[in-house]
Amino acid sequence: MSHKEQPVPPMSDALRAAVRERSSPVKPLLPPGPRAALLTATGILVALAFVAATGVRADAAALGMPIVWVPALVRLAAAGAWMLLIAREATPSEGVSAPVRIAAFVSVPALLLVSAFVVARAGGNGAGLTPMMCYGKVVALAIPAMGAALWLLRRAFPLRPILAYLGAGLAAGLIAETALHLTCPSTSPAHMLLIHGGAVATAAAFGAVMGAGRLRRGAR
């Protein structure tokens, strides 16, 4: 004897109206590439505005244009690669492999270290940590790109939220630090690594804390 399914009762006009009122269409996210490009462009525009308002460092000619501009372009390329990494991490089926993640983590401190000593050698090996205000400048300049990245991550579903959010802070901080590389007059490795690099690390740490919070909320 076959079981006959009961017909589904039709929705009332009141129920249809309530569904229409309380539901909103889901807007799909852009693919990882365009998302990464938009986030990188946000940070670059802020950095360019700062450089335009402040002016390129006074010792640029003495250092040589390749030493000033090549590290800046490499920084932006690294930040763009990190933005692409986090955009892919935000898409569950497109996360990157462990070797790529390790290479991405190693590349940023290595880049800052090499750049600091190249600038120091060309500029006479400056010393000291001043100007200390560079720390606050990097953190402040990182806020727009980091905010945009965190907003996009909130709308996505990263399987490794700590990595994705940390990467958002790291990439935004690296773009912001590029602006200081182009404007800060210091040639001290200690200043460039501890003040500039410390600000980048702060932005990354803030992102990691936000990612940990996302992970805890998802585990509940």
Side-chain angles (χ1 to χ4, degrees), residues 71 74-83 85-86 100-116 138 163 166-178 192-193 196-204:
V74 174
R75 281 169 164 83
L76 295 180
W82 259 105
M83 288 297 191
L85 185 150
I86 67 170
V100 172
R101 297 196 299 270
I102 293 170
F105 273 113
V106 171
S107 66
V108 174
L111 168 61
L112 295 178
L113 183 66
V114 171
S115 175
V138 173
L163 171 66
L166 181 152
L170 184 64
L174 189 57
I175 297 174
E177 195 275 336
T178 304
M192 289 180 276
L193 293 174
H196 293 195
V200 176
T202 298

Side-chain angles (χ1 to χ4, degrees), residues 150 154 161-162 165 205-215 217:
L150 295 182
R154 283 188 62 189
I162 295 177
Y165 281 69
F206 177 80
V209 170
M210 296 292 290
R214 171 77 178 265
L215 185 62
R217 290 192 298 272

Side-chain angles (χ1 to χ4, degrees), residues 33-58:
R35 267 184 283 162
L38 285 172
L39 294 174
T40 305
T42 300
I44 290 176
L45 287 175
V46 174
L48 286 176
F50 178 81
V51 174
T54 307
V56 177
R57 56 191 303 159

Side-chain angles (χ1 to χ4, degrees), residues 42-43 46-47 49-51 134-146 172-173 175-180 183:
T42 300
V46 174
F50 178 81
V51 174
C134 287
Y135 177 90
K137 290 178 181 179
V138 173
V139 172
L141 290 172
I143 291 174
M146 183 162 57
I175 297 174
E177 195 275 336
T178 304
L180 270 293
T183 57

Side-chain angles (χ1 to χ4, degrees), residues 180-203:
L180 270 293
H181 166 76
L182 292 172
T183 57
C184 174
S186 176
T187 58
S188 166
H191 174 81
M192 289 180 276
L193 293 174
L194 297 179
I195 304 304
H196 293 195
V200 176
T202 298

